[in-house]
């Protein structure tokens, strides 16, 4: 059987999928999926294998929402970087056919995305160099109150944050656990999921948690033009306002990719950048015990903890959460939103 490639594009309304064989013939007709149907899309791709290997999935670097769940499900996932692809529309990736064609005609140019390497597999060096170049500007912004990493170290409160949702399965589980302990948290949502799963967003807001902006499609920000970057933020803010009842105050950059160019493009944007001082590294699925240990060893008064409840298999995060909450409460730390933690006078 010939090699087959499933190009997956993102659009304003969801995903478009085109599956080609290595001769460029359509294996099935093009299909469309909503941002809330990722599990169904994965099931469909596996069935296309008909007992054999499922088609290889091809994404671009403006889409960080599918590689996690797809690599976790055992699919072969590739990333086509912008220098390989034709120009994008103002909002959305190149087409599904263009992605599949790129893979079919020059498969060696693609990066194979692994679960361990994450979305940016193969670009880690470039990523770290860019963040390092951005460090002086970021430090200046932090000092000026435009970027928030943690609260005061004498403030016995911690902000848990959950990124990449909402999610059809894990959001409600996280909300239920937090509710059990009377804990509040901040959910940095992606617009693509907000539009597809408005009820989950309302569930978060109704439980008293805070909603933050995490871009629309979870792109690698350095690959976007300044206009594209602002479009990602504006559309997500509008959607959160429409569904959740308030425009977000906080923006967390996907991957924390704050290069000088990204910081310049965000200059004057009316939301505060939000980073973290404790990374649970739950996306690498090291086991619930390890996730809880990482958080409990790293967190203290004023901490902002980075975790994930969407765009992947977050069962380990959910399993770790009760131990994390209990461990922090036992130390006398109160669990609050980012907004509450940052509102402390003289936060530094
Ligand atoms: Zn994220």
């Amino acid at each position: 059987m010939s090699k087959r490639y499933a190009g997956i594009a993102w659009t304003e309304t969801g995903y478009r999928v085109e599956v080609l064989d290595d001769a460029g013939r359509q294996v099935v007709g093009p299909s469309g999926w909503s941002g809330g149907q990722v599990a169904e899309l994965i099931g469909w791709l596996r069935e296309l294998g008909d007992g054999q290997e499922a088609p290889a999935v091809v994404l671009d670097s403006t889409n960080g929402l599918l590689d996690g769940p797809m690599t976790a499900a055992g699919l072969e996932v590739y990333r086509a970087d912008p220098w390989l692809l034709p120009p994008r529309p103002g909002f959305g990736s190149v087409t599904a056919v263009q992605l599949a064609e790129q893979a079919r005609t020059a498969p060696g140019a693609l990066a194979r995305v692994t679960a361990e390497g994450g979305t940016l597999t193969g670009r880690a060096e470039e990523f770290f160099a860019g963040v390092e170049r951005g460090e002086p500007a970021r430090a200046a912004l932090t000092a000026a109150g435009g970027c928030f990493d943690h609260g005061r170290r004498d403030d016995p409160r911690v902000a848990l944050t959950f990124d990449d949702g909402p999610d059809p399965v894990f959001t409600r589980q996280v909300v239920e656990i937090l509710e059990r302990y009377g804990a509040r948290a901040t959910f940095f949502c992606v617009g693509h999921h907000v539009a597809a799963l408005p009820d989950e967003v309302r569930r978060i807001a109704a439980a008293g948690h805070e909603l933050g902006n995490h871009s629309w499609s979870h792109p690698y920000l350095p690959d976007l033009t300044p206009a594209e970057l602002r479009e990602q933020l504006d559309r997500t803010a509008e959607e959160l306002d429409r569904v959740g009842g308030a425009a977000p105050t906080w923006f967390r950059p996907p991957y924390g990719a704050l290069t000088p160019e990204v910081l310049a493009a965000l200059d004057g944007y009316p939301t505060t950048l939000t980073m973290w001082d404790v990374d649970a590294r739950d996306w690498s699925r090291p086991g619930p015990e390890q996730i809880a240990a990482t958080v409990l060893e790293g967190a203290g008064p004023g901490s902002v903890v980075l975790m994930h409840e969407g765009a992947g298999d977050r069962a380990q995060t959910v399993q770790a959460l009760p131990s994390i909450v209990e461990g922090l409460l036992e130390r006398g730390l109160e669990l609050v939103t980012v907004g509450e933690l940052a509102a402390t006078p003289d936060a530094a």
Side-chain angles (χ1 to χ4, degrees):
M1 181 180 253
S2 74
K3 185 86 185 167
R4 296 170 307 166
Y5 297 96
I8 306 184
W10 67 270
T11 69
E12 210 168 319
T13 51
Y15 300 112
R16 299 286 299 168
V17 182
E18 186 88 51
V19 186
L20 303 180
D21 68 13
D22 54 12
R25 290 179 300 243
Q26 276 187 341
V27 172
V28 286
S31 57
W33 306 77
S34 93
Q37 286 181 305
V38 174
E40 292 83 347
L41 171 54
I42 289 171
W44 181 80
L45 287 166
R46 281 176 143 173
E47 273 168 33
L48 277 183
D50 199 18
Q52 303 186 54
E53 209 185 353
V57 170
V58 191
L59 309 168
D60 84 335
S61 69
T62 69
N63 179 0
L65 299 174
L66 296 179
D67 60 282
M70 289 184 168
T71 52
L75 291 172
E76 191 180 335
V77 179
Y78 292 89
R79 187 191 67 243
D81 287 310
W83 52 87
L84 302 170
L85 299 170
R88 292 184 293 272
F91 192 66
S93 61
V94 301
T95 67
V97 171
Q98 287 168 326
L99 286 165
E101 271 296 311
Q102 171 60 38
R104 184 182 76 80
T105 55
L110 305 180
R112 171 84 188 257
V113 176
T114 64
E116 303 73 40
T119 317
L120 298 174
T121 306
R123 293 181 76 179
E125 213 169 297
E126 173 200 336
F127 167 81
F128 287 115
V131 169
E132 200 179 316
R133 281 191 301 115
E135 196 50 50
R138 194 194 137 191
L141 195 63
T142 304
C147 182
F148 184 69
D149 297 359
H150 61 79
R152 282 174 59 128
R153 296 307 190 190
D154 60 355
D155 182 351
R157 299 185 300 169
V158 169
L160 298 181
T161 65
F162 297 92
D163 288 12
D164 302 357
D167 181 273
V169 175
F170 301 112
T171 298
R172 81 187 62 192
Q173 297 178 0
V174 169
V175 168
E176 277 167 18
I177 293 168
L178 294 174
E179 178 127 55
R180 215 184 291 159
Y181 296 96
R184 281 184 305 284
T186 303
F187 290 73
F188 285 93
C189 299
V190 287
H192 206 78
H193 293 164
V194 174
L197 299 161
D199 287 347
E200 296 304 321
V201 177
R202 291 186 196 105
R203 184 194 303 277
I204 295 167
H209 305 296
E210 183 177 42
L211 296 165
N213 191 334
H214 194 40
S215 82
W216 187 273
S217 65
H218 211 278
Y220 182 47
L221 299 180
D223 282 354
L224 302 184
T225 65
E228 284 175 326
L229 202 165
R230 286 189 170 239
E231 186 89 12
Q232 286 260 344
L233 269 66
D234 287 343
R235 295 235 194 181
T236 305
E238 280 164 26
E239 201 65 21
L240 281 170
D241 192 8
R242 192 179 67 78
V243 175
T249 312
W250 309 97
F251 168 62
R252 174 169 282 159
Y255 319 107
L258 295 178
T259 63
E261 296 76 20
V262 168
L263 286 162
L266 290 170
D267 187 34
Y269 198 82
T271 53
T272 304
L273 285 168
T274 314
M275 301 295 277
W276 57 87
D277 66 336
V278 180
D279 180 354
R281 296 190 55 82
D282 56 336
W283 59 270
S284 67
R285 301 197 299 149
E289 296 79 13
Q290 182 59 54
I291 294 169
T294 300
V295 174
L296 292 173
E297 278 162 26
S303 283
V304 176
V305 181
L306 169 65
M307 292 186 279
H308 298 83
E309 120 276 14
D313 178 354
R314 309 306 187 193
Q316 292 188 3
T317 307
V318 170
Q319 284 168 40
L321 191 54
S323 313
I324 291 171
V325 173
E326 285 172 22
L328 295 172
L329 292 177
E330 275 166 21
R331 288 189 219 161
L333 297 165
E334 191 190 350
L335 299 177
V336 297
T337 65
V338 166
E340 289 168 325
L341 190 66
T344 311
D346 306 314

